[in-house]
Amino acid sequence: MVASTGDGDMAEPLVASSLPLETRFPPFHLRQHGGFWFPETLLPGIVAVRTRFAPRPSDVFLASFPKSGTTWLKALAFATAHRADHPPHAPDHPLRHRNPHDCVEFLEVSYALDPTADAFAALPSPRVIATHLPYPLLPERFTAEGAGCKVVYVCRDPKDAFVSAWLFARKMAAAAAAGAANDDEPWPVPPKPFGMEEAFELFCDGQCPGGPQGPHVSSYWEASRRWPEKVLFLQYEEMLQDPVDNVRKLAEFMGCAFSMEEEAAGVARDVVDLCSIDALKNVEANKRGSRKYVKNEAFFRKGVAGDWSNHMTPAMAARLDGIVEDALQGSGFAFAAAESA
Ligand code: PAP
């Protein structure tokens, strides 16, 4: 697989097969690029984003390390940005019929599907677009000073992000096994049980999709300190504690703060209710729909803080906390003391 690095026509092509390879985190082969691990199939998209994506000053990117609250943030930001056209209490609201990942697409996934097209060009402004890319790999034209674009980042306690990622990977591995049994499309990583210990070692070493988590988080934290008007840094656990206040923060940052009339009418609360995990779990498209590699219901599991304690030993928790703490050292950000469910 060869893709241009996108730094101009003369740039060296990026040869995926020459990048470090990790084959143990199912269901995709991972390749290391720019210090982070990505599904190999995404590399052409990651490269194409840098050359082809044409940012608009009104764009809002929703960024996250995988399994940190992306689906929820997509729903909240979409409902907030489009509330004039789609009031949150409306029975035909898109989020009552569609999965949040269909309302807000991933930049690099879209370009990976067709690196020559710009699927986002047809979207009306303001566009809300998601990414799992770390800050240094965002397109330069997007992050450049004066570009006007904004980023909302959500981070999550590493232990809960790990447990969520491991269980999600197991579901995808099971789908891979079923696909292999049906002699469907071949899966890159041969299906086999994905044990907790193996997953944990890989996650601790950063050899997981988007990994390592610590540098991913610190890249956005530092950007949010440097350019607070451009990068909003949210925490999943704080969103769980006070979702309405976080939606207000989100709306204000996106340039569409709730008016006094909206506040009086409880619109922020309506957005939160529309996007609650229980409401989304009940949407037909989320109950029965599926995507290429996984059922939509897999995006809505527990949605709580502290579920790690049902899966990890205290020693594992301390080890992972220590790894992420070390990575965040000197950044000025630290995850709050661990909660258990
Ligand atoms: P992604 O990276 O594949 O897009 P992402 O949405 O970031 O996944 O993470 C999924 C987690 O968010 C799941 O956590 P869990 O496995 O610990 O339960 C999922 O349950 C949780 N989640 C999804 N929707 C919501 C929501 N509306 N409110 C709170 N948490 C949610």
Side-chain angles (χ1 to χ4, degrees), residues 65-72 101 106 132 156 160 164 168 236 240 275-277 280 299-304:
F65 179 79
K67 300 296 153 199
S68 298
T70 327
T71 314
W72 190 19
H101 293 285
F106 283 110
H132 279 323
R156 187 179 191 188
D160 283 331
S164 188
F168 189 76
Y236 181 81
L240 286 176
C275 302
S276 75
I277 190 160
L280 294 178
F299 290 98
F300 311 95
R301 199 180 61 90
K302 288 193 174 174
V304 298

Side-chain angles (χ1 to χ4, degrees), residues 239-260:
M239 289 167 64
L240 286 176
Q241 266 173 14
D242 194 343
V244 172
D245 192 50
N246 277 275
V247 165
R248 283 196 190 108
K249 216 190 269 183
L250 183 64
E252 204 177 314
F253 178 77
M254 292 198 300
C256 54
F258 294 100
S259 66
M260 278 163 64

Side-chain angles (χ1 to χ4, degrees), residues 158-159 162 200 203-204 312 316-324:
K159 302 179 292 306
F162 159 65
F200 183 68
F203 195 91
C204 284
M312 295 169 72
M316 290 168 113
R319 181 170 157 209
L320 183 52
D321 279 342
I323 288 169
V324 176

Side-chain angles (χ1 to χ4, degrees), residues 1-6 11-17 42-48 115:
M1 189 186 304
V2 180
S4 158
T5 55
E12 286 292 308
L14 181 74
V15 182
S17 57
L42 282 189
L43 282 174
I46 292 171
V47 166

Side-chain angles (χ1 to χ4, degrees), residues 2 4 12 29 31 75 78 91 108 131 134-135 148-149 168 176 182 184 201 211 220 228 235 263 266 297 320:
V2 180
S4 158
E12 286 292 308
H29 281 175
R31 293 276 181 185
F78 179 87
E108 58 277 16
T131 185
Y135 194 81
C149 320
F168 189 76
N182 295 334
D184 263 5
E201 290 303 321
Y220 281 95
Q235 295 189 55
E263 285 291 359
E297 65 177 17
L320 183 52

